[in-house]
Amino acid sequence: MKITRSRTLLGVVGALTLAVSLSACGSSSNSNSTAGSASTPTAAASVDPSLAAAVPSEIKSKGTILIGTDSTYAPNEFLDTDGTTVIGMDVDLFNAVAAKLGLKTQWQSAKFDSIIPGVSSGKYNIGISSFTINPQREAQVTMVSYFSAGTQWGQKPGGSVNPNAACGKKIAVQTGTVQVDDVTARSQKCVAAGQPAIKIDQYQLQSDATSSVVSGKDEAMLADSPISAYAVKLTNGQLALVGSTYDAALYGYVLPKDQTDFAGAVAGAVKELIADGTYNQILTKWGVQIGAITNPTVNPTP
């Protein structure tokens, strides 16, 4: 999912000992990144005044937008080798969006299931963490589509897990994700059919879920398709994809429920990045261009 690079994925590298020792970094509460990549234009050079006019005054006065993210989800958002700087596809892309709005970015690491409540309470200005758009989330917040991903299973090479016949298997998944609902529904079908329930292990960090499969603690995992594919790449043959990607759905930026005008400006910025080629350049850099969309929308119907 990502171009070759020298830096490692915290918690999901080939050696399990390194994975375990670094995964704790993902729980940092003050990881910030204000710098874009080489493909990200500067705010001064790319600001669109018409879009910037829709930025809420409290954000505009600071000149910086505070972003809540779960930085354990490579290649979309994860910690660089310094253990504090958040990098990834989502980071590069929204840094470019913020530039269109005349803003700098401040990325703050958080547990995945705390981000939406944090946006609603005002702790964060926006949540960006590979959030699948669904009716439950749109009932709480405003969402702007920007990418498409499905669910993909992974296991050790030669493993015996079949996603459609996983009864009695030990399966790893990250807490708060749509994959929890997926594997729970599969387990309920097992029980209804008189078979053993799936043994579901939930982890706060996706890196820990991945490491549990590499170590053999769990037999398989399921996650968003770019995350599973990237985990396979970085574990150097210790994981393999299982079956095909399914249930493709849109990712969305998370904004407060009442900020539809600002959401419209964010969508407009993504559209400009699509038009000028920056969007595709960033997705290609991270190897996730298969998830590109053409029409970012505020509160799309899932």
Side-chain angles (χ1 to χ4, degrees):
M1 292 305 302
K2 185 188 287 189
I3 61 170
T4 56
R5 52 198 305 120
S6 59
R7 58 174 63 103
T8 58
L9 165 60
L10 301 181
V12 195
V13 293
L16 179 63
T17 54
L18 182 58
V20 172
S21 67
L22 294 178
S23 62
C25 295
S27 61
S28 170
S29 62
N30 60 356
S31 301
N32 301 327
S33 172
T34 56
S37 69
S39 64
T40 304
T42 64
S46 64
V47 61
D48 182 320
S50 63
L51 298 177
V55 175
S57 58
E58 63 272 18
I59 298 175
K60 186 179 297 184
S61 63
K62 294 179 180 178
T64 300
I65 185 165
L66 179 60
I67 305 157
T69 189
D70 168 20
S71 54
T72 70
Y73 218 54
N76 295 354
E77 48 268 333
F78 63 109
L79 296 180
D80 202 349
T81 50
D82 62 6
T84 58
T85 304
V86 186
I87 61 175
M89 178 274 289
D90 272 341
V91 178
D92 283 354
L93 183 56
F94 194 77
N95 283 348
V97 169
K100 289 288 185 184
L101 302 173
L103 299 172
K104 295 181 180 180
T105 59
Q106 180 180 1
W107 296 81
Q108 183 167 346
S109 294
K111 292 181 178 179
F112 181 77
D113 55 7
S114 73
I115 296 172
I116 288 180
V119 171
S120 296
S121 70
K123 181 177 181 179
Y124 310 116
N125 300 133
I126 191 169
I128 303 174
S129 201
S130 306
F131 284 105
T132 300
I133 296 175
N134 59 37
Q136 294 75 24
R137 287 172 177 158
E138 287 189 325
Q140 304 173 65
V141 292
T142 293
M143 303 191 77
V144 178
S145 61
Y146 66 93
F147 188 78
S148 177
T151 290
Q152 176 73 62
W153 287 58
Q155 65 180 342
K156 292 182 75 67
S160 60
V161 175
N162 179 342
N164 296 317
C167 303
K169 301 292 187 179
K170 291 188 68 176
I171 307 299
V173 68
Q174 185 183 20
T175 299
T177 62
V178 295
Q179 283 79 26
V180 173
D181 296 335
D182 183 318
V183 73
T184 298
R186 291 174 187 271
S187 182
Q188 291 170 346
K189 288 183 179 179
C190 291
V191 174
Q195 300 182 57
I198 296 175
K199 300 172 184 177
I200 305 170
D201 282 340
Q202 295 191 43
Y203 297 87
Q204 283 289 340
L205 307 182
Q206 175 59 43
S207 51
D208 288 344
T210 304
S211 295
S212 76
V213 181
V214 172
S215 70
K217 179 178 182 291
D218 290 302
E219 296 172 82
M221 57 171 263
L222 60 159
D224 287 358
S225 49
I227 279 66
S228 291
Y230 191 62
V232 167
K233 177 178 179 179
L234 287 193
T235 54
N236 296 319
Q238 295 185 74
L239 287 177
L241 298 179
V242 181
S244 303
T245 299
Y246 61 91
D247 289 346
L250 295 169
Y251 280 172
Y253 297 133
V254 173
L255 292 87
K257 189 68 173 176
D258 62 352
Q259 289 188 0
T260 53
D261 287 347
F262 185 30
V266 170
V270 179
K271 290 177 182 178
E272 289 191 6
L273 295 172
I274 292 172
D276 69 18
T278 302
Y279 176 85
N280 185 66
Q281 183 180 4
I282 291 171
L283 267 58
T284 300
K285 169 188 172 182
W286 295 98
V288 298
Q289 61 269 32
I290 193 172
I293 65 171
T294 59
N295 186 31
T297 306
V298 177
N299 290 329
T301 302

